[in-house]
């Protein structure tokens, strides 16, 4: 490990090789530009909340499949994309709540490889929303110690979105609070392929023997390497079908029965007046509990 201090400005003029930096073990200091610094100072600090479950039952890693937006909007008589705008409010509420009760990681499945099949106008709208979200939420994420990361093939995202994403990742890289992980252009098959290619390259170079590929070695080559295993998976549409990639994870999920109701009620109570929350409560029958 060396201790070279590298200073990254929040608008780096030169792209630095992050991989090389990480390998070198160099300390990276981020200097915020004046505008961002002022925004961070003004951003709300999240008060701590009492976790809704005893520590041994608290999920360390919660994942949310952000679906049902279009159906919700259609039911309300709005255009489908209005559901996506409402979804951003839920993202903010869920992030705050997870940060406040010390969930370690929150993964949001925001854009799958399948989503490229949607109409161009919807895709453009989604990326505009994502970009706006990254810029607008950055000060609050920084102020509350959130580390933003991403999984999926982000190289295929539009350049302006990629720039804001990577900048937010760089600026929050050393934060120790909630790991907010955005799954963008994420696909189960892509993830397995990526992991397989990495492992094959290590085997080909003689660094790994085929019989040394254990479950944990495999996991360490997934996009989610280093994150705690998934404990709780929520589909905001209230459906139970899972993406292929998550079927495996489902088998591993701890069972949250009464407790998951308590956790979800607490999570959604924060935003009980919000449409996405209400939809979920209705569909899961939690509305009664919240009204009690
Ligand atoms: C699924 O709803 C939702 C999406 C494909 C996109 C979700 C992404 C955003 C709201 C962009 C912003 C992202 C972040 C992380 C801030 P759907 O259209 O499939 O609805 P349906 O299931 O009713 O068809």
């Amino acid at each position: 490990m060396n201790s070279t201090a590298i200073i990254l400005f929040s608008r780096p003029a030169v792209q630095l090789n992050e991989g090389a930096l990480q390998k070198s073990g160099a300390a990276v200091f981020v200097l915020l530009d004046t505008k961002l610094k002022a925004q961070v100072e003004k951003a709300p600090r999240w008060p701590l909340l009492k976790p809704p479950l005893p520590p041994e039952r608290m999920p360390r890693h919660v994942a949310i499949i952000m679906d049902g937006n279009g159906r919700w909007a259609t039911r309300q008589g709005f255009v489908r994309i209005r559901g996506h705008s409402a979804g951003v409010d839920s993202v903010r509420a869920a992030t705050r709540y997870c940060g406040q009760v010390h969930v370690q990681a929150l993964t949001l499945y925001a854009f799958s490889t399948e989503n490229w099949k949607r109409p161009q106008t919807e895709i453009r709208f989604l990326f505009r929303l994502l970009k706006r979200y990254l810029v607008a939420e950055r000060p609050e994420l920084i102020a509350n110690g959130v580390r933003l990361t991403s999984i999926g093939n982000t190289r295929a995202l539009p350049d302006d979105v990629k720039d804001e994403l990577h900048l937010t990742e760089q600026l929050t890289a050393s934060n120790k609070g909630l790991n907010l992980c955005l799954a963008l252009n994420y696909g189960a098959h892509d993830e397995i392929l990526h992991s397989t290619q990495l492992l094959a390259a290590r085997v080909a170079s003689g660094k790994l023997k085929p019989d040394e590929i254990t479950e944990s070695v495999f996991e360490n080559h997934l996009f989610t390497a280093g994150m705690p295993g998934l404990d709780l998976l929520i589909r905001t549409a209230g459906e139970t079908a899972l993406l292929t990639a998550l079927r495996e994870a489902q088998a591993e999920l701890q069972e949250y029965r009464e407790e998951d109701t308590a956790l979800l009620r607490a999570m959604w109570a924060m935003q009980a007046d919000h449409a996405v929350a209400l939809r979920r409560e209705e569909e899961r029958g939690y509305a009664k509990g919240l009204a009690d």
Side-chain angles (χ1 to χ4, degrees):
M1 300 279 277
N2 74 46
S3 58
T4 319
I6 311 281
I7 298 187
L8 286 179
F9 289 84
S10 55
R11 289 273 160 205
V14 185
Q15 276 301 323
L16 293 164
N17 182 340
E18 291 168 63
L21 279 181
Q22 273 156 17
K23 270 191 215 127
S24 78
V28 178
F29 295 103
V30 177
L31 209 61
L32 306 185
D33 63 31
T34 329
K35 186 172 159 215
L36 183 58
K37 208 167 158 217
Q39 289 170 330
V40 171
E41 274 157 21
K42 273 205 219 122
R45 262 45 177 191
W46 302 337
L48 284 186
L49 281 183
K50 185 174 173 298
L53 297 175
E56 67 282 5
R57 297 292 299 153
M58 271 299 287
R60 291 181 307 156
H61 184 175
V62 176
I64 301 182
I65 299 176
M66 301 171 58
D67 58 2
N69 291 352
R71 277 168 280 171
W72 170 80
T74 309
R75 279 204 302 274
Q76 309 297 311
F78 302 139
V79 284
R80 278 178 56 81
I81 54 172
R82 182 124 172 227
H84 297 319
S85 310
V88 175
D89 295 335
S90 289
V91 164
R92 188 178 308 108
T95 305
R96 284 179 179 165
Y97 185 72
C98 287
Q100 284 173 302
V101 296
H102 287 168
V103 165
Q104 284 178 32
L106 171 65
T107 295
L108 300 174
Y109 290 91
F111 193 89
S112 74
T113 46
E114 290 290 303
N115 288 151
W116 293 110
K117 294 184 191 144
R118 292 181 177 230
Q120 274 304 313
T121 45
E122 184 173 351
I123 296 177
R124 271 202 301 275
F125 182 83
L126 281 171
F127 284 128
R128 266 211 313 275
L129 260 189
L130 176 62
K131 181 179 168 186
R132 199 185 307 155
Y133 165 85
L134 289 165
V135 175
E137 302 298 315
R138 192 180 286 143
E140 185 167 330
L141 299 180
I142 295 174
N144 292 285
V146 174
R147 186 164 62 92
L148 186 127
T149 56
S150 57
I151 55 173
N153 179 5
T154 55
R155 274 170 308 185
L157 303 187
D159 285 343
D160 56 338
V161 177
K162 235 176 348 197
D163 287 350
E164 298 301 350
L165 176 69
H166 291 158
L167 181 57
T168 315
E169 288 181 315
Q170 285 174 349
L171 290 170
T172 61
S174 57
N175 287 352
K176 301 282 179 267
L178 174 72
N179 176 190
L180 174 62
C181 174
L182 303 184
L184 297 167
N185 193 19
Y186 172 85
H189 289 173
D190 258 16
E191 180 165 29
I192 293 167
L193 193 67
H194 172 80
S195 170
T196 308
Q197 283 169 347
L198 291 180
L199 288 165
R202 291 193 62 197
V203 170
S205 67
K207 291 192 183 124
L208 189 73
K209 296 197 184 87
D211 59 5
E212 286 170 349
I213 305 176
T214 59
E215 203 175 317
S216 76
V217 170
F218 187 75
E219 272 173 17
N220 287 336
H221 289 77
L222 290 172
F223 291 141
T224 47
M227 293 178 77
L230 193 57
D231 294 313
L232 179 62
L233 176 67
I234 299 168
R235 285 193 72 166
T236 48
E239 287 175 13
T240 49
L242 292 175
L243 299 172
T244 333
L246 298 172
R247 283 202 195 111
E248 292 242 322
Q250 186 192 29
E252 309 265 314
L253 291 181
Q254 287 181 36
E255 291 201 351
Y256 286 88
R257 293 177 191 276
E258 287 309 305
E259 295 92 334
D260 94 336
T261 313
L263 176 76
L264 292 175
R265 274 174 55 181
M267 280 184 85
W268 300 121
M270 299 260 308
Q271 41 158 8
D273 60 344
H274 185 263
V276 176
L278 287 176
R279 179 187 65 221
R280 185 175 163 79
E281 286 145 17
E282 268 164 32
E283 292 182 11
R284 293 282 185 155
Y286 292 158
K288 186 182 169 304
L290 274 174
D292 289 344

